[in-house]
Amino acid sequence: GAVVSQHPSRVICKSGTSVKIECRSLDFQATTMFWYRQFPKQSLMLMATSNEGSKATYEQGVEKDKFLINHASLTLSTLTVTSAHPEDSSFYICSALGTSGLNEQFFGPGTRLTVL
Amino acid sequence: KQEVTQIPAALSVPEGENLVLNCSFTDSAIYNLQWFRQDPGKGLTSLLLIQSSQREQTSGRLNASLDKSSGRSTLYIAASQPGDSATYLCAPRTSGTYKYIFGTGTRLKVLA
């Protein structure tokens, strides 16, 4: 149980285009999901907390107009990178908060974004 | 602001050795701490989760300990195998939030 999927796993786009990444909790409902970014050989940095039915909470330094987050259902959160530029190339990972008393986070497999 | 440091940054050992990976964090007000494994270009696999009230957790050849007051956690890997080669990340969760702050990771290579 507690599986989180991401789609797509890899995406290559041209500079200036927008890219949408989906994060789904497959066998549980997640009112809270998280989006992380990981640059090569660096650790994961939390970008934003996504709450179902309300606005996302962004970490300091993350542009909310550039990284649009929508959490319209209990099993789906989307991250849209708008007007992507090469510096946005990174590994994007989402996680979903489990519903057990442990409040464990379950991570997706990640999406590799390359902006040309 | 929570800061998490992992030592060593990289480690290369022959197969069969017992290993200790260290994690230190600056804010001891944590709810729990998770250890993860990340293979190159892949997502995270949760290894162990220790609640703030616990001292250790074990799963197979893995044992994680937590000393919350001193801001330290260790991951012990017994009888290492080449398949254990990966990056290991620790992540304490700040009390009162759902946020996990990740350490810099330890890149482990176990040689056959």
mmCIF file of all heavy atoms in Angstrom, chain A residues 13-64:
data_model
loop_
_atom_site.group_PDB
_atom_site.id
_atom_site.type_symbol
_atom_site.label_atom_id
_atom_site.label_comp_id
_atom_site.label_asym_id
_atom_site.label_seq_id
_atom_site.Cartn_x
_atom_site.Cartn_y
_atom_site.Cartn_z
ATOM 1 N N CYS A 13 11.643 19.992 -22.731
ATOM 2 C CA CYS A 13 10.839 21.039 -23.355
ATOM 3 C C CYS A 13 11.733 22.194 -23.784
ATOM 4 O O CYS A 13 12.887 22.311 -23.359
ATOM 5 C CB CYS A 13 9.760 21.531 -22.400
ATOM 6 S SG CYS A 13 10.384 22.438 -20.980
ATOM 7 N N LYS A 14 11.165 23.033 -24.607
ATOM 8 C CA LYS A 14 11.890 24.214 -25.061
ATOM 9 C C LYS A 14 11.715 25.360 -24.065
ATOM 10 O O LYS A 14 10.688 25.441 -23.369
ATOM 11 C CB LYS A 14 11.377 24.650 -26.429
ATOM 12 C CG LYS A 14 11.689 23.678 -27.551
ATOM 13 C CD LYS A 14 11.178 24.211 -28.879
ATOM 14 C CE LYS A 14 11.510 23.256 -30.020
ATOM 15 N NZ LYS A 14 10.991 23.758 -31.325
ATOM 16 N N SER A 15 12.686 26.208 -24.012
ATOM 17 C CA SER A 15 12.624 27.371 -23.140
ATOM 18 C C SER A 15 11.401 28.213 -23.482
ATOM 19 O O SER A 15 11.086 28.436 -24.646
ATOM 20 C CB SER A 15 13.901 28.191 -23.315
ATOM 21 O OG SER A 15 13.938 29.252 -22.404
ATOM 22 N N GLY A 16 10.687 28.634 -22.446
ATOM 23 C CA GLY A 16 9.504 29.464 -22.641
ATOM 24 C C GLY A 16 8.194 28.712 -22.596
ATOM 25 O O GLY A 16 7.127 29.333 -22.486
ATOM 26 N N THR A 17 8.257 27.402 -22.674
ATOM 27 C CA THR A 17 7.026 26.617 -22.617
ATOM 28 C C THR A 17 6.695 26.269 -21.174
ATOM 29 O O THR A 17 7.515 26.437 -20.277
ATOM 30 C CB THR A 17 7.144 25.330 -23.444
ATOM 31 O OG1 THR A 17 8.210 24.529 -22.914
ATOM 32 C CG2 THR A 17 7.444 25.654 -24.894
ATOM 33 N N SER A 18 5.466 25.763 -20.974
ATOM 34 C CA SER A 18 5.034 25.350 -19.643
ATOM 35 C C SER A 18 4.932 23.832 -19.580
ATOM 36 O O SER A 18 4.579 23.182 -20.567
ATOM 37 C CB SER A 18 3.677 25.978 -19.305
ATOM 38 O OG SER A 18 3.801 27.380 -19.204
ATOM 39 N N VAL A 19 5.234 23.299 -18.442
ATOM 40 C CA VAL A 19 5.226 21.851 -18.249
ATOM 41 C C VAL A 19 4.417 21.507 -17.005
ATOM 42 O O VAL A 19 4.595 22.136 -15.964
ATOM 43 C CB VAL A 19 6.667 21.312 -18.070
ATOM 44 C CG1 VAL A 19 6.651 19.835 -17.742
ATOM 45 C CG2 VAL A 19 7.486 21.590 -19.309
ATOM 46 N N LYS A 20 3.540 20.519 -17.131
ATOM 47 C CA LYS A 20 2.735 20.081 -15.986
ATOM 48 C C LYS A 20 3.196 18.707 -15.531
ATOM 49 O O LYS A 20 3.352 17.785 -16.329
ATOM 50 C CB LYS A 20 1.258 20.021 -16.355
ATOM 51 C CG LYS A 20 0.364 19.575 -15.189
ATOM 52 C CD LYS A 20 -1.081 19.410 -15.598
ATOM 53 C CE LYS A 20 -1.795 20.717 -15.739
ATOM 54 N NZ LYS A 20 -3.248 20.561 -15.937
ATOM 55 N N ILE A 21 3.381 18.573 -14.225
ATOM 56 C CA ILE A 21 3.770 17.296 -13.618
ATOM 57 C C ILE A 21 2.656 16.877 -12.664
ATOM 58 O O ILE A 21 2.185 17.678 -11.861
ATOM 59 C CB ILE A 21 5.094 17.436 -12.845
ATOM 60 C CG1 ILE A 21 6.202 17.954 -13.765
ATOM 61 C CG2 ILE A 21 5.497 16.096 -12.229
ATOM 62 C CD1 ILE A 21 7.474 18.343 -13.029
ATOM 63 N N GLU A 22 2.255 15.611 -12.784
ATOM 64 C CA GLU A 22 1.187 15.096 -11.935
ATOM 65 C C GLU A 22 1.739 14.210 -10.821
ATOM 66 O O GLU A 22 2.674 13.441 -11.045
ATOM 67 C CB GLU A 22 0.192 14.273 -12.754
ATOM 68 C CG GLU A 22 -0.605 15.070 -13.761
ATOM 69 C CD GLU A 22 -1.630 14.216 -14.469
ATOM 70 O OE1 GLU A 22 -1.582 12.980 -14.345
ATOM 71 O OE2 GLU A 22 -2.496 14.795 -15.151
ATOM 72 N N CYS A 23 1.117 14.293 -9.673
ATOM 73 C CA CYS A 23 1.458 13.443 -8.531
ATOM 74 C C CYS A 23 0.163 12.820 -8.024
ATOM 75 O O CYS A 23 -0.774 13.547 -7.683
ATOM 76 C CB CYS A 23 2.107 14.282 -7.441
ATOM 77 S SG CYS A 23 2.483 13.383 -5.920
ATOM 78 N N ARG A 24 0.127 11.488 -7.996
ATOM 79 C CA ARG A 24 -1.083 10.793 -7.565
ATOM 80 C C ARG A 24 -0.809 9.825 -6.429
ATOM 81 O O ARG A 24 0.189 9.098 -6.457
ATOM 82 C CB ARG A 24 -1.680 9.977 -8.720
ATOM 83 C CG ARG A 24 -2.231 10.803 -9.858
ATOM 84 C CD ARG A 24 -2.824 9.921 -10.941
ATOM 85 N NE ARG A 24 -3.246 10.727 -12.096
ATOM 86 C CZ ARG A 24 -4.430 11.287 -12.208
ATOM 87 N NH1 ARG A 24 -5.333 11.132 -11.255
ATOM 88 N NH2 ARG A 24 -4.729 12.002 -13.267
ATOM 89 N N SER A 25 -1.699 9.828 -5.457
ATOM 90 C CA SER A 25 -1.665 8.790 -4.442
ATOM 91 C C SER A 25 -2.608 7.695 -4.930
ATOM 92 O O SER A 25 -3.779 7.945 -5.178
ATOM 93 C CB SER A 25 -2.106 9.325 -3.079
ATOM 94 O OG SER A 25 -3.391 9.917 -3.157
ATOM 95 N N LEU A 26 -2.067 6.487 -5.107
ATOM 96 C CA LEU A 26 -2.806 5.443 -5.818
ATOM 97 C C LEU A 26 -3.776 4.674 -4.933
ATOM 98 O O LEU A 26 -4.805 4.213 -5.394
ATOM 99 C CB LEU A 26 -1.832 4.479 -6.488
ATOM 100 C CG LEU A 26 -0.948 5.093 -7.581
ATOM 101 C CD1 LEU A 26 -0.110 4.020 -8.248
ATOM 102 C CD2 LEU A 26 -1.783 5.840 -8.598
ATOM 103 N N ASP A 27 -3.444 4.465 -3.680
ATOM 104 C CA ASP A 27 -4.288 3.601 -2.858
ATOM 105 C C ASP A 27 -4.659 4.253 -1.530
ATOM 106 O O ASP A 27 -5.049 3.569 -0.594
ATOM 107 C CB ASP A 27 -3.603 2.256 -2.627
ATOM 108 C CG ASP A 27 -2.165 2.443 -2.167
ATOM 109 O OD1 ASP A 27 -1.725 3.599 -1.983
ATOM 110 O OD2 ASP A 27 -1.475 1.429 -1.992
ATOM 111 N N PHE A 28 -4.537 5.562 -1.472
ATOM 112 C CA PHE A 28 -4.971 6.264 -0.275
ATOM 113 C C PHE A 28 -5.269 7.706 -0.645
ATOM 114 O O PHE A 28 -4.835 8.198 -1.683
ATOM 115 C CB PHE A 28 -3.918 6.196 0.843
ATOM 116 C CG PHE A 28 -2.626 6.918 0.535
ATOM 117 C CD1 PHE A 28 -2.343 8.152 1.116
ATOM 118 C CD2 PHE A 28 -1.676 6.358 -0.307
ATOM 119 C CE1 PHE A 28 -1.156 8.809 0.844
ATOM 120 C CE2 PHE A 28 -0.487 7.009 -0.584
ATOM 121 C CZ PHE A 28 -0.225 8.241 -0.012
ATOM 122 N N GLN A 29 -6.021 8.355 0.207
ATOM 123 C CA GLN A 29 -6.351 9.760 -0.035
ATOM 124 C C GLN A 29 -5.373 10.640 0.725
ATOM 125 O O GLN A 29 -5.056 10.381 1.883
ATOM 126 C CB GLN A 29 -7.782 10.037 0.428
ATOM 127 C CG GLN A 29 -8.822 9.319 -0.413
ATOM 128 C CD GLN A 29 -10.239 9.640 0.016
ATOM 129 O OE1 GLN A 29 -10.493 9.938 1.168
ATOM 130 N NE2 GLN A 29 -11.163 9.596 -0.929
ATOM 131 N N ALA A 30 -4.890 11.649 0.052
ATOM 132 C CA ALA A 30 -3.869 12.514 0.635
ATOM 133 C C ALA A 30 -4.354 13.962 0.636
ATOM 134 O O ALA A 30 -4.409 14.591 -0.418
ATOM 135 C CB ALA A 30 -2.563 12.385 -0.131
ATOM 136 N N THR A 31 -4.700 14.457 1.798
ATOM 137 C CA THR A 31 -5.113 15.854 1.865
ATOM 138 C C THR A 31 -3.917 16.791 1.740
ATOM 139 O O THR A 31 -4.082 17.956 1.397
ATOM 140 C CB THR A 31 -5.836 16.145 3.189
ATOM 141 O OG1 THR A 31 -4.980 15.763 4.275
ATOM 142 C CG2 THR A 31 -7.134 15.370 3.286
ATOM 143 N N THR A 32 -2.747 16.256 2.038
ATOM 144 C CA THR A 32 -1.541 17.078 1.981
ATOM 145 C C THR A 32 -0.484 16.395 1.140
ATOM 146 O O THR A 32 -0.179 15.226 1.362
ATOM 147 C CB THR A 32 -0.984 17.346 3.386
ATOM 148 O OG1 THR A 32 -2.001 17.930 4.202
ATOM 149 C CG2 THR A 32 0.215 18.275 3.325
ATOM 150 N N MET A 33 0.046 17.125 0.184
ATOM 151 C CA MET A 33 1.154 16.641 -0.634
ATOM 152 C C MET A 33 2.245 17.703 -0.636
ATOM 153 O O MET A 33 1.987 18.867 -0.327
ATOM 154 C CB MET A 33 0.688 16.352 -2.063
ATOM 155 C CG MET A 33 -0.275 15.156 -2.178
ATOM 156 S SD MET A 33 -0.688 14.814 -3.905
ATOM 157 C CE MET A 33 -1.618 13.302 -3.725
ATOM 158 N N PHE A 34 3.426 17.275 -0.992
ATOM 159 C CA PHE A 34 4.578 18.170 -0.971
ATOM 160 C C PHE A 34 5.324 18.068 -2.293
ATOM 161 O O PHE A 34 5.377 17.013 -2.908
ATOM 162 C CB PHE A 34 5.529 17.783 0.173
ATOM 163 C CG PHE A 34 4.874 17.759 1.522
ATOM 164 C CD1 PHE A 34 4.242 16.616 1.980
ATOM 165 C CD2 PHE A 34 4.886 18.885 2.335
ATOM 166 C CE1 PHE A 34 3.625 16.582 3.223
ATOM 167 C CE2 PHE A 34 4.274 18.864 3.578
ATOM 168 C CZ PHE A 34 3.644 17.718 4.017
ATOM 169 N N TRP A 35 5.906 19.176 -2.683
ATOM 170 C CA TRP A 35 6.742 19.192 -3.886
ATOM 171 C C TRP A 35 8.163 19.589 -3.500
ATOM 172 O O TRP A 35 8.378 20.583 -2.803
ATOM 173 C CB TRP A 35 6.186 20.167 -4.919
ATOM 174 C CG TRP A 35 4.948 19.655 -5.575
ATOM 175 C CD1 TRP A 35 3.652 19.934 -5.243
ATOM 176 C CD2 TRP A 35 4.885 18.739 -6.679
ATOM 177 N NE1 TRP A 35 2.787 19.256 -6.064
ATOM 178 C CE2 TRP A 35 3.505 18.517 -6.963
ATOM 179 C CE3 TRP A 35 5.839 18.093 -7.465
ATOM 180 C CZ2 TRP A 35 3.084 17.672 -7.992
ATOM 181 C CZ3 TRP A 35 5.415 17.262 -8.476
ATOM 182 C CH2 TRP A 35 4.044 17.058 -8.741
ATOM 183 N N TYR A 36 9.116 18.772 -3.985
ATOM 184 C CA TYR A 36 10.526 19.005 -3.719
ATOM 185 C C TYR A 36 11.254 19.150 -5.052
ATOM 186 O O TYR A 36 10.825 18.635 -6.092
ATOM 187 C CB TYR A 36 11.142 17.808 -2.968
ATOM 188 C CG TYR A 36 10.609 17.576 -1.574
ATOM 189 C CD1 TYR A 36 9.430 16.854 -1.368
ATOM 190 C CD2 TYR A 36 11.296 18.025 -0.453
ATOM 191 C CE1 TYR A 36 8.951 16.611 -0.091
ATOM 192 C CE2 TYR A 36 10.827 17.766 0.827
ATOM 193 C CZ TYR A 36 9.658 17.070 0.992
ATOM 194 O OH TYR A 36 9.182 16.821 2.253
ATOM 195 N N ARG A 37 12.401 19.790 -4.967
ATOM 196 C CA ARG A 37 13.268 19.915 -6.131
ATOM 197 C C ARG A 37 14.658 19.459 -5.718
ATOM 198 O O ARG A 37 15.110 19.743 -4.602
ATOM 199 C CB ARG A 37 13.293 21.371 -6.604
ATOM 200 C CG ARG A 37 14.157 21.646 -7.821
ATOM 201 C CD ARG A 37 13.880 23.021 -8.381
ATOM 202 N NE ARG A 37 13.994 24.057 -7.380
ATOM 203 C CZ ARG A 37 13.724 25.348 -7.616
ATOM 204 N NH1 ARG A 37 13.319 25.725 -8.810
ATOM 205 N NH2 ARG A 37 13.851 26.237 -6.671
ATOM 206 N N GLN A 38 15.312 18.776 -6.635
ATOM 207 C CA GLN A 38 16.655 18.276 -6.332
ATOM 208 C C GLN A 38 17.559 18.555 -7.521
ATOM 209 O O GLN A 38 17.352 18.014 -8.613
ATOM 210 C CB GLN A 38 16.618 16.777 -6.035
ATOM 211 C CG GLN A 38 17.956 16.206 -5.610
ATOM 212 C CD GLN A 38 17.877 14.723 -5.290
ATOM 213 O OE1 GLN A 38 17.138 13.986 -5.925
ATOM 214 N NE2 GLN A 38 18.649 14.281 -4.303
ATOM 215 N N PHE A 39 18.582 19.382 -7.288
ATOM 216 C CA PHE A 39 19.582 19.645 -8.307
ATOM 217 C C PHE A 39 20.643 18.568 -8.214
ATOM 218 O O PHE A 39 20.801 17.912 -7.170
ATOM 219 C CB PHE A 39 20.162 21.042 -8.137
ATOM 220 C CG PHE A 39 19.175 22.131 -8.468
ATOM 221 C CD1 PHE A 39 18.631 22.923 -7.466
ATOM 222 C CD2 PHE A 39 18.771 22.363 -9.775
ATOM 223 C CE1 PHE A 39 17.708 23.914 -7.756
ATOM 224 C CE2 PHE A 39 17.852 23.347 -10.080
ATOM 225 C CZ PHE A 39 17.314 24.123 -9.068
ATOM 226 N N PRO A 40 21.410 18.365 -9.314
ATOM 227 C CA PRO A 40 22.395 17.274 -9.332
ATOM 228 C C PRO A 40 23.334 17.291 -8.125
ATOM 229 O O PRO A 40 23.865 18.332 -7.755
ATOM 230 C CB PRO A 40 23.155 17.519 -10.635
ATOM 231 C CG PRO A 40 22.169 18.197 -11.518
ATOM 232 C CD PRO A 40 21.358 19.075 -10.596
ATOM 233 N N LYS A 41 23.468 16.149 -7.514
ATOM 234 C CA LYS A 41 24.362 15.942 -6.386
ATOM 235 C C LYS A 41 24.026 16.825 -5.195
ATOM 236 O O LYS A 41 24.895 17.089 -4.361
ATOM 237 C CB LYS A 41 25.821 16.129 -6.813
ATOM 238 C CG LYS A 41 26.254 15.121 -7.857
ATOM 239 C CD LYS A 41 27.743 15.105 -8.046
ATOM 240 C CE LYS A 41 28.112 14.007 -9.040
ATOM 241 N NZ LYS A 41 29.564 13.933 -9.281
ATOM 242 N N GLN A 42 22.801 17.268 -5.119
ATOM 243 C CA GLN A 42 22.357 18.034 -3.958
ATOM 244 C C GLN A 42 21.176 17.325 -3.316
ATOM 245 O O GLN A 42 20.610 16.375 -3.873
ATOM 246 C CB GLN A 42 21.959 19.455 -4.369
ATOM 247 C CG GLN A 42 23.119 20.285 -4.875
ATOM 248 C CD GLN A 42 22.712 21.727 -5.111
ATOM 249 O OE1 GLN A 42 21.786 22.238 -4.497
ATOM 250 N NE2 GLN A 42 23.417 22.394 -6.022
ATOM 251 N N SER A 43 20.816 17.779 -2.137
ATOM 252 C CA SER A 43 19.712 17.140 -1.448
ATOM 253 C C SER A 43 18.378 17.728 -1.900
ATOM 254 O O SER A 43 18.329 18.647 -2.715
ATOM 255 C CB SER A 43 19.879 17.303 0.057
ATOM 256 O OG SER A 43 19.003 16.432 0.729
ATOM 257 N N LEU A 44 17.307 17.176 -1.378
ATOM 258 C CA LEU A 44 15.981 17.650 -1.747
ATOM 259 C C LEU A 44 15.663 18.942 -1.007
ATOM 260 O O LEU A 44 15.920 19.055 0.192
ATOM 261 C CB LEU A 44 14.918 16.617 -1.355
ATOM 262 C CG LEU A 44 14.723 15.447 -2.288
ATOM 263 C CD1 LEU A 44 15.843 14.441 -2.127
ATOM 264 C CD2 LEU A 44 13.389 14.776 -2.031
ATOM 265 N N MET A 45 15.083 19.867 -1.746
ATOM 266 C CA MET A 45 14.659 21.123 -1.140
ATOM 267 C C MET A 45 13.145 21.224 -1.282
ATOM 268 O O MET A 45 12.609 21.113 -2.383
ATOM 269 C CB MET A 45 15.326 22.309 -1.833
ATOM 270 C CG MET A 45 16.836 22.324 -1.719
ATOM 271 S SD MET A 45 17.389 22.502 -0.012
ATOM 272 C CE MET A 45 16.837 24.153 0.349
ATOM 273 N N LEU A 46 12.478 21.459 -0.166
ATOM 274 C CA LEU A 46 11.026 21.597 -0.197
ATOM 275 C C LEU A 46 10.659 22.882 -0.920
ATOM 276 O O LEU A 46 11.181 23.950 -0.598
ATOM 277 C CB LEU A 46 10.469 21.615 1.229
ATOM 278 C CG LEU A 46 8.965 21.769 1.372
ATOM 279 C CD1 LEU A 46 8.242 20.563 0.783
ATOM 280 C CD2 LEU A 46 8.592 21.942 2.838
ATOM 281 N N MET A 47 9.753 22.759 -1.900
ATOM 282 C CA MET A 47 9.295 23.929 -2.644
ATOM 283 C C MET A 47 7.992 24.463 -2.061
ATOM 284 O O MET A 47 7.823 25.665 -1.866
ATOM 285 C CB MET A 47 9.069 23.577 -4.106
ATOM 286 C CG MET A 47 10.294 23.126 -4.852
ATOM 287 S SD MET A 47 9.886 22.587 -6.516
ATOM 288 C CE MET A 47 9.370 24.133 -7.255
ATOM 289 N N ALA A 48 7.048 23.527 -1.830
ATOM 290 C CA ALA A 48 5.715 23.978 -1.412
ATOM 291 C C ALA A 48 4.943 22.825 -0.802
ATOM 292 O O ALA A 48 5.223 21.654 -1.063
ATOM 293 C CB ALA A 48 4.956 24.533 -2.599
ATOM 294 N N THR A 49 3.983 23.200 0.016
ATOM 295 C CA THR A 49 3.042 22.250 0.609
ATOM 296 C C THR A 49 1.703 22.455 -0.082
ATOM 297 O O THR A 49 1.198 23.583 -0.146
ATOM 298 C CB THR A 49 2.901 22.496 2.114
ATOM 299 O OG1 THR A 49 4.185 22.369 2.717
ATOM 300 C CG2 THR A 49 1.945 21.492 2.734
ATOM 301 N N SER A 50 1.146 21.368 -0.563
ATOM 302 C CA SER A 50 -0.094 21.419 -1.333
ATOM 303 C C SER A 50 -1.226 20.824 -0.509
ATOM 304 O O SER A 50 -1.145 19.677 -0.084
ATOM 305 C CB SER A 50 0.114 20.609 -2.624
ATOM 306 O OG SER A 50 -1.097 20.401 -3.309
ATOM 307 N N ASN A 51 -2.253 21.620 -0.252
ATOM 308 C CA ASN A 51 -3.390 21.161 0.533
ATOM 309 C C ASN A 51 -4.629 21.077 -0.344
ATOM 310 O O ASN A 51 -4.951 22.033 -1.067
ATOM 311 C CB ASN A 51 -3.660 22.113 1.695
ATOM 312 C CG ASN A 51 -2.506 22.142 2.674
ATOM 313 O OD1 ASN A 51 -2.180 21.138 3.285
ATOM 314 N ND2 ASN A 51 -1.885 23.289 2.817
ATOM 315 N N GLU A 52 -5.321 19.962 -0.282
ATOM 316 C CA GLU A 52 -6.510 19.752 -1.097
ATOM 317 C C GLU A 52 -7.552 20.822 -0.834
ATOM 318 O O GLU A 52 -7.893 21.080 0.323
ATOM 319 C CB GLU A 52 -7.087 18.352 -0.816
ATOM 320 C CG GLU A 52 -8.222 17.962 -1.740
ATOM 321 C CD GLU A 52 -9.581 18.314 -1.165
ATOM 322 O OE1 GLU A 52 -9.688 18.407 0.065
ATOM 323 O OE2 GLU A 52 -10.535 18.474 -1.951
ATOM 324 N N GLY A 53 -7.977 21.459 -1.908
ATOM 325 C CA GLY A 53 -9.043 22.443 -1.811
ATOM 326 C C GLY A 53 -8.620 23.817 -1.344
ATOM 327 O O GLY A 53 -9.472 24.697 -1.157
ATOM 328 N N SER A 54 -7.330 24.037 -1.142
ATOM 329 C CA SER A 54 -6.890 25.371 -0.733
ATOM 330 C C SER A 54 -5.578 25.715 -1.430
ATOM 331 O O SER A 54 -4.994 24.893 -2.122
ATOM 332 C CB SER A 54 -6.720 25.444 0.786
ATOM 333 O OG SER A 54 -5.703 24.572 1.211
ATOM 334 N N LYS A 55 -5.147 26.934 -1.225
ATOM 335 C CA LYS A 55 -3.921 27.380 -1.891
ATOM 336 C C LYS A 55 -2.706 26.712 -1.294
ATOM 337 O O LYS A 55 -2.653 26.427 -0.092
ATOM 338 C CB LYS A 55 -3.785 28.901 -1.765
ATOM 339 C CG LYS A 55 -4.797 29.677 -2.583
ATOM 340 C CD LYS A 55 -4.541 31.182 -2.457
ATOM 341 C CE LYS A 55 -5.534 31.965 -3.299
ATOM 342 N NZ LYS A 55 -5.322 33.431 -3.192
ATOM 343 N N ALA A 56 -1.712 26.523 -2.145
ATOM 344 C CA ALA A 56 -0.464 25.930 -1.675
ATOM 345 C C ALA A 56 0.324 26.933 -0.836
ATOM 346 O O ALA A 56 0.183 28.146 -0.987
ATOM 347 C CB ALA A 56 0.368 25.481 -2.868
ATOM 348 N N THR A 57 1.141 26.398 0.033
ATOM 349 C CA THR A 57 2.035 27.223 0.850
ATOM 350 C C THR A 57 3.440 27.056 0.303
ATOM 351 O O THR A 57 3.977 25.949 0.302
ATOM 352 C CB THR A 57 1.992 26.777 2.321
ATOM 353 O OG1 THR A 57 0.652 26.827 2.798
ATOM 354 C CG2 THR A 57 2.890 27.674 3.160
ATOM 355 N N TYR A 58 4.041 28.153 -0.139
ATOM 356 C CA TYR A 58 5.346 28.099 -0.772
ATOM 357 C C TYR A 58 6.458 28.414 0.228
ATOM 358 O O TYR A 58 6.292 29.245 1.125
ATOM 359 C CB TYR A 58 5.407 29.088 -1.933
ATOM 360 C CG TYR A 58 4.544 28.681 -3.111
ATOM 361 C CD1 TYR A 58 3.172 28.939 -3.119
ATOM 362 C CD2 TYR A 58 5.094 28.028 -4.206
ATOM 363 C CE1 TYR A 58 2.370 28.549 -4.173
ATOM 364 C CE2 TYR A 58 4.305 27.639 -5.278
ATOM 365 C CZ TYR A 58 2.950 27.899 -5.252
ATOM 366 O OH TYR A 58 2.160 27.510 -6.310
ATOM 367 N N GLU A 59 7.589 27.762 0.040
ATOM 368 C CA GLU A 59 8.753 28.050 0.858
ATOM 369 C C GLU A 59 9.390 29.360 0.392
ATOM 370 O O GLU A 59 9.182 29.801 -0.745
ATOM 371 C CB GLU A 59 9.763 26.912 0.769
ATOM 372 C CG GLU A 59 9.264 25.613 1.372
ATOM 373 C CD GLU A 59 8.918 25.734 2.842
ATOM 374 O OE1 GLU A 59 9.830 26.041 3.634
ATOM 375 O OE2 GLU A 59 7.738 25.534 3.184
ATOM 376 N N GLN A 60 10.139 29.945 1.280
ATOM 377 C CA GLN A 60 10.801 31.211 0.973
ATOM 378 C C GLN A 60 11.703 31.052 -0.245
ATOM 379 O O GLN A 60 12.461 30.081 -0.345
ATOM 380 C CB GLN A 60 11.627 31.658 2.178
ATOM 381 C CG GLN A 60 12.095 33.085 2.101
ATOM 382 C CD GLN A 60 12.751 33.522 3.408
ATOM 383 O OE1 GLN A 60 12.986 32.715 4.308
ATOM 384 N NE2 GLN A 60 13.051 34.791 3.514
ATOM 385 N N GLY A 61 11.594 32.000 -1.158
ATOM 386 C CA GLY A 61 12.443 31.975 -2.338
ATOM 387 C C GLY A 61 11.858 31.233 -3.524
ATOM 388 O O GLY A 61 12.443 31.243 -4.605
ATOM 389 N N VAL A 62 10.728 30.578 -3.354
ATOM 390 C CA VAL A 62 10.080 29.859 -4.453
ATOM 391 C C VAL A 62 8.994 30.753 -5.053
ATOM 392 O O VAL A 62 8.116 31.228 -4.331
ATOM 393 C CB VAL A 62 9.465 28.534 -3.967
ATOM 394 C CG1 VAL A 62 8.744 27.829 -5.121
ATOM 395 C CG2 VAL A 62 10.531 27.636 -3.374
ATOM 396 N N GLU A 63 9.077 30.981 -6.346
ATOM 397 C CA GLU A 63 8.132 31.890 -7.002
ATOM 398 C C GLU A 63 6.800 31.198 -7.241
ATOM 399 O O GLU A 63 6.695 30.274 -8.048
ATOM 400 C CB GLU A 63 8.708 32.335 -8.345
ATOM 401 C CG GLU A 63 10.023 33.083 -8.254
ATOM 402 C CD GLU A 63 10.589 33.350 -9.647
ATOM 403 O OE1 GLU A 63 9.904 34.015 -10.433
ATOM 404 O OE2 GLU A 63 11.691 32.856 -9.944
ATOM 405 N N LYS A 64 5.772 31.675 -6.578
ATOM 406 C CA LYS A 64 4.471 31.021 -6.699
ATOM 407 C C LYS A 64 3.841 31.212 -8.077
ATOM 408 O O LYS A 64 3.030 30.408 -8.514
ATOM 409 C CB LYS A 64 3.524 31.504 -5.605
ATOM 410 C CG LYS A 64 3.271 32.980 -5.576
ATOM 411 C CD LYS A 64 2.364 33.360 -4.412
ATOM 412 C CE LYS A 64 3.055 33.145 -3.088
ATOM 413 N NZ LYS A 64 2.244 33.570 -1.915
#
